[in-house]
Amino acid sequence: MAAGQAAIEGADVMLLEKKKMPGRKLRITGKGRCNLTNIAEVSEFIKHFGRNGKFLRQAFARFFSSDLIGFFNEIGLATKIERGGRVFPENDRAQDVADALLKWISRLNVRLHTETSINKLITSDERITGAVTDVKRAIEAEAIIIATGGLSYPLTGSTGDGYRLAESVGHTIVTTRPSLVPLETRENFPKHLVGLRLKNVNAALYIDGRKTAQEFGEMEFTDFGLDGPIILTLSRIAVDALDHGRDVEISIDLKPALDHNKLDARLLREIDQHGKMHFNNLLKELLPMQLIPTCMESVQIPPEKSAHQISSEERKRMRLWMKDFRLYISGHRSYDEAIITAGGVGLKEVNPRTMESRLIKDLYFCGEVLDLDGDTGGYNLQEAFSTGWLAGRSAAKADYNH
Ligand SMILES: Cc1cc2nc3c(=O)[nH]c(=O)nc-3n(C[C@H](O)[C@H](O)[C@H](O)COP(=O)(O)OP(=O)(O)OC[C@H]3O[C@@H](n4cnc5c(N)ncnc54)[C@H](O)[C@@H]3O)c2cc1C
């Protein structure tokens, strides 16, 4: 996006890509479908980036979701809107998004060099003058845009080079950490629940015993712990807490539509209606099959016990377990499995109106390399495209000025 926009402004643009195939990460986004953006209005959109979101106001004022959708439609990629305002290519193919961008920059005569990485920036009097590539070739440039991504899914080419480049010319790098990442549990039982997806549940995050956040939606169990949309969202806070040695727990409310009184009434009704049924069979009316052994072990009611023999104390244990199925979080997965990298090039040293470095003239940043990370839902790609648009336009104008 940055390269194409700079070319539209009349700049002579060279795009250096470390990998053989450009846009490898883009091609696997959204489980291969690419959730391009979200139609949430701007103030809502910004909230999905937490404290640093306001940095994006100017970029979004220039190029936002409707502009991005219009842009893709114009370059031949039809789009559709799905649940939660999430925008996808109409044919559900992330590959086509990357290919459409490549065709577009080729039409604009951007010179693409693949399998070429930038290893070093060259500056003179706090101004960028060029870069050195891994083939030891020095390139002169009137402006350079760093769009090297973060550290997550390193096989796609995002290996943190941009942080090292920025640091080498004096930029502050806010400590990075994996974000939107699955969480590991101390308990072993998720192993027996692999593949189980819970829909319409509420997951609350407890840090040092205090409820800090909650999310409603879908989650799943894996052989190491927890994954799925609401877990990834909670991981944005959980990882930071884990890295600071705090106690992290997740409490799952399996029946969020029923408060304690209503759930108790529901349990009583089930027990009355199925008095002769064994406890383990009764649970089939209330829980997914795969979860029943875990429940039985936790509430410690003998499986052969008839429903009408269940005491009020046992019924209370069932209710409490269903409203507060607790898991102790022992860690998080690595960058290899993180959707995004939190931290990065400090925003105080980047001009939000242009994306230009405040330290080195004619050096620009865009995308995940910046200290910006958003929720799932199309927010991160829009951030990358908007900051890319702005960096490209601004850098080309710098080109004219010299
Ligand atoms: C599995 C997965 C699914 C995702 N799904 C979604 C989604 O559906 N919607 C959404 O909004 N976000 C999604 N994201 C996040 C989104 O992909 C990123 O936020 C986005 O790709 C960041 O774009 P970027 O251009 O900054 O960096 P990247 O896409 O990481 O691109 C950086 C590029 O720079 C190249 N590079 C690195 N170092 C050098 C160097 N030294 N010299 C030359 N080239 C270099 C890399 O090879 C790479 O091609 C997903 C991420 C993952 C991992």
Side-chain angles (χ1 to χ4, degrees):
M1 178 62 84
Q5 294 303 335
I8 285 176
E9 288 290 323
D12 176 14
V13 186
M14 188 188 266
L15 174 57
L16 306 177
E17 165 54 53
K18 176 152 83 173
K19 292 298 226 187
K20 195 168 183 178
M21 173 176 287
R24 278 192 62 178
K25 185 170 283 174
L26 190 54
R27 291 170 195 275
I28 58 163
T29 51
K31 300 208 160 94
R33 297 173 60 221
C34 186
N35 181 190
L36 277 172
T37 183
N38 195 293
I39 56 158
E41 55 126 349
V42 73
S43 54
E44 176 62 27
F45 209 109
I46 278 171
K47 281 190 202 146
H48 287 273
F49 288 86
R51 254 184 312 130
N52 285 350
K54 56 185 185 304
F55 176 86
L56 288 165
R57 270 198 191 282
Q58 330 248 12
F60 286 168
R62 302 288 300 281
F63 188 81
F64 195 44
S65 51
S66 53
D67 306 302
L68 184 68
I69 294 167
F71 163 82
F72 273 114
N73 295 166
E74 235 167 70
I75 66 167
L77 188 95
T79 49
K80 62 178 172 184
I81 301 170
E82 291 193 1
R83 186 174 47 84
R86 297 176 309 153
V87 180
F88 291 87
E90 198 172 60
N91 64 5
D92 292 322
R93 284 176 51 92
Q95 294 276 3
D96 287 7
V97 179
D99 289 339
L101 285 167
L102 284 175
K103 269 193 210 140
W104 173 66
I105 58 162
S106 156
R107 283 198 299 276
L108 291 165
N109 298 321
V110 169
R111 287 170 292 140
L112 171 65
H113 295 257
T114 53
E115 293 177 278
T116 310
S117 46
I118 290 205
N119 277 356
K120 191 171 176 284
L121 297 175
I122 308 170
T123 57
S124 164
D125 293 335
E126 291 171 0
R127 173 182 287 259
I128 206 89
T129 57
V132 181
T133 70
D134 54 348
V135 281
K136 295 283 178 282
R137 210 180 116 207
I139 295 165
E140 278 183 22
E142 295 197 28
I144 287 189
I145 302 171
I146 296 189
T148 47
L151 281 159
S152 25
Y153 276 66
L155 285 178
T156 63
S158 327
T159 50
D161 296 13
Y163 306 135
R164 288 185 284 278
L165 292 170
E167 212 163 23
S168 74
V169 294
H171 271 275
T172 311
I173 305 302
V174 175
T175 311
T176 57
R177 58 175 192 275
S179 195
L180 299 181
V181 67
L183 298 175
E184 294 168 353
T185 55
R186 187 169 65 190
E187 294 84 358
N188 267 331
F189 59 73
K191 256 196 194 75
H192 309 296
L193 302 175
V194 173
L196 172 64
R197 281 179 155 255
L198 299 176
K199 288 187 178 164
N200 303 323
V201 294
N202 198 72
L205 180 72
Y206 283 81
I207 296 177
D208 289 339
R210 206 168 62 86
K211 187 167 165 181
T212 312
Q214 61 176 338
E215 288 292 324
F216 174 80
E218 200 174 309
M219 57 170 286
E220 63 188 274
F221 293 90
T222 66
D223 55 354
F224 55 78
L226 308 176
D227 198 352
I230 58 175
I231 298 300
L232 295 182
T233 302
L234 292 175
S235 79
R236 291 187 62 202
I237 306 171
V239 171
D240 191 38
L242 287 164
D243 288 355
H244 284 89
R246 322 241 320 248
D247 278 342
V248 180
E249 290 167 286
I250 284 198
S251 157
I252 305 165
D253 181 350
L254 296 156
K255 301 284 175 198
L258 304 175
D259 64 17
H260 280 269
N261 286 338
K262 283 191 182 136
L263 180 57
D264 195 43
R266 168 85 199 274
L267 288 172
L268 263 178
R269 205 172 65 230
E270 291 294 340
I271 287 169
D272 279 352
Q273 278 175 6
H274 307 102
K276 289 195 181 132
M277 208 183 252
H278 288 163
F279 171 60
N280 55 346
N281 288 328
L282 184 76
L283 283 178
K284 287 182 196 158
E285 309 289 322
L286 298 157
L287 293 172
M289 281 290 273
Q290 237 178 311
L291 205 52
I292 292 176
T294 310
C295 173
M296 287 198 306
E297 208 181 305
S298 300
V299 298
Q300 298 203 322
I301 303 175
E304 306 294 310
K305 194 164 191 170
S306 300
H308 64 78
Q309 288 174 324
I310 292 175
S311 68
S312 62
E313 181 50 38
E314 286 170 331
R315 199 176 77 236
K316 183 177 169 194
R317 289 211 296 273
M318 272 169 74
R319 168 170 57 84
L320 292 180
W321 185 83
M322 282 178 196
K323 293 296 284 178
D324 183 8
F325 171 25
R326 271 281 161 146
L327 292 113
Y328 189 86
I329 305 301
S330 53
H332 56 80
R333 302 302 271 179
S334 72
Y335 283 115
D336 290 354
E337 294 171 55
I339 302 287
I340 194 118
T341 304
V345 174
L347 301 180
K348 284 195 188 122
E349 295 164 359
V350 179
N351 183 343
R353 287 176 198 280
T354 56
M355 296 297 138
E356 187 177 17
S357 159
R358 291 193 196 272
L359 310 182
I360 304 291
K361 204 162 166 10
D362 299 329
L363 177 64
Y364 295 78
F365 297 97
C366 61
E368 200 174 324
V369 73
L370 290 163
D371 178 20
L372 288 165
D373 61 289
D375 286 326
T376 58
Y379 303 102
N380 288 301
L381 280 175
Q382 180 70 50
E383 177 263 307
F385 285 128
S386 291
T387 54
W389 186 96
L390 190 52
R393 294 266 166 150
S394 320
K397 292 210 176 94
D399 188 18
Y400 281 148
N401 293 337
H402 297 159

